Amino acid sequence: MNDFSVGMALFDYLPVIFFGIGGVILLRDLYNKMSKGAFALFAAGVIDVFMAGFLKATWKLLYAGANIDISALNAMFFPVQSIGFLLAGIGIIAMLCHNQKERGVKNCAVVPVVSITFPCLVLVMVAGLGCLDAGLCILAKKLKKPGVIAIFVISFVCCLGMGYLSTKDFEEAAMNWIAEGVNFCGQGLFLLGTWMLHKAGLAELELEK
């Protein structure tokens, strides 16, 4: 039996909101720098990650508040989040590595559909998140904001910590609070970093290939 409280479930929405706001900031600031293909991948990835977190928080709230266990909302979290990070990472790396002047579908990457096991999902999430944060660090360097690089590095480490904690027993309330605290810090730093990039002029930055 999972030891969730309504307060814990509501707190779990905060990191989701942080990521959602940070994602919207990036979508607005990077729109004019991406081809349609790269932007579609990045947007799909951001939406996937947001919805995965939102639906899991909703599962916790329903479980704690009404004793309703829609287990699919929990089971889908890790696969959807992992694929989301991969798509977002591919989108931002494509923006940085390929000519994006032609905003057409010909630049769209093809992502193969395969049967993915849990270890593969872990690798997919780490690779996608690593590409996403690395791309944001490159943008921070171009904007001459070294402090923002440190913020994204710490955010990445927090997300890796969440991956480690996901292997632990989450039936205890203490473990859930620890995981939520780490996630809160990681996504809060992600939001802070994206906001600082925005204030530094990310929307006006011209990328040189």
Side-chain angles (χ1 to χ4, degrees):
M1 183 68 67
N2 292 296
D3 189 11
F4 297 144
S5 66
V6 172
M8 182 186 297
L10 292 174
F11 184 82
D12 206 35
Y13 280 103
L14 291 178
V16 179
I17 294 171
F18 290 164
F19 179 84
I21 296 173
V24 169
I25 291 172
L26 290 175
L27 287 169
R28 290 171 61 90
D29 286 352
L30 300 179
Y31 177 76
N32 63 345
K33 301 171 180 56
M34 290 182 166
S35 67
K36 287 184 178 179
F39 185 80
L41 288 172
F42 185 71
V46 169
I47 292 170
D48 278 1
V49 175
F50 175 82
M51 290 305 301
F54 180 83
L55 291 176
K56 182 168 184 177
T58 300
W59 167 69
K60 285 186 178 181
L61 184 60
L62 291 173
Y63 191 99
N67 198 29
I68 298 174
D69 183 11
I70 307 178
S71 58
L73 299 181
N74 180 42
M76 69 183 290
F77 170 74
F78 197 67
V80 174
Q81 183 191 60
S82 299
I83 294 172
F85 277 128
L86 178 63
L87 294 176
I90 292 173
I92 201 165
I93 292 300
M95 177 194 71
L96 293 168
C97 297
H98 296 284
N99 191 332
Q100 303 288 298
K101 290 182 179 179
E102 294 294 333
R103 293 182 54 78
V105 295
K106 65 180 181 180
N107 289 326
C108 184
V110 176
V111 180
V113 178
V114 295
S115 177
I116 305 178
T117 62
F118 183 81
C120 289
L121 284 174
V122 173
L123 293 176
V124 165
M125 187 191 74
V126 172
L129 183 60
C131 288
L132 175 61
D133 284 330
L136 294 175
C137 287
I138 291 172
L139 293 173
K141 183 178 179 181
K142 290 179 179 293
L143 290 167
K144 297 180 173 57
K145 292 291 180 180
V148 179
I149 296 176
I151 289 174
F152 285 124
V153 169
I154 298 172
S155 174
F156 178 71
V157 171
C158 288
C159 289
L160 291 184
M162 276 297 297
Y164 169 75
L165 290 172
S166 67
T167 64
K168 302 301 180 181
D169 183 8
F170 269 67
E171 293 188 358
E172 297 295 328
M175 183 57 66
N176 276 281
W177 277 116
I178 291 172
E180 289 194 6
V182 172
N183 195 27
F184 178 88
C185 291
Q187 299 307 327
L189 288 170
F190 174 80
L191 174 57
L192 176 62
T194 55
W195 176 250
M196 291 177 70
L197 289 181
H198 173 73
K199 297 297 289 185
L202 178 58
E204 294 77 29
L205 176 67
E206 293 187 5
L207 298 178
E208 296 180 0
K209 302 298 188 297

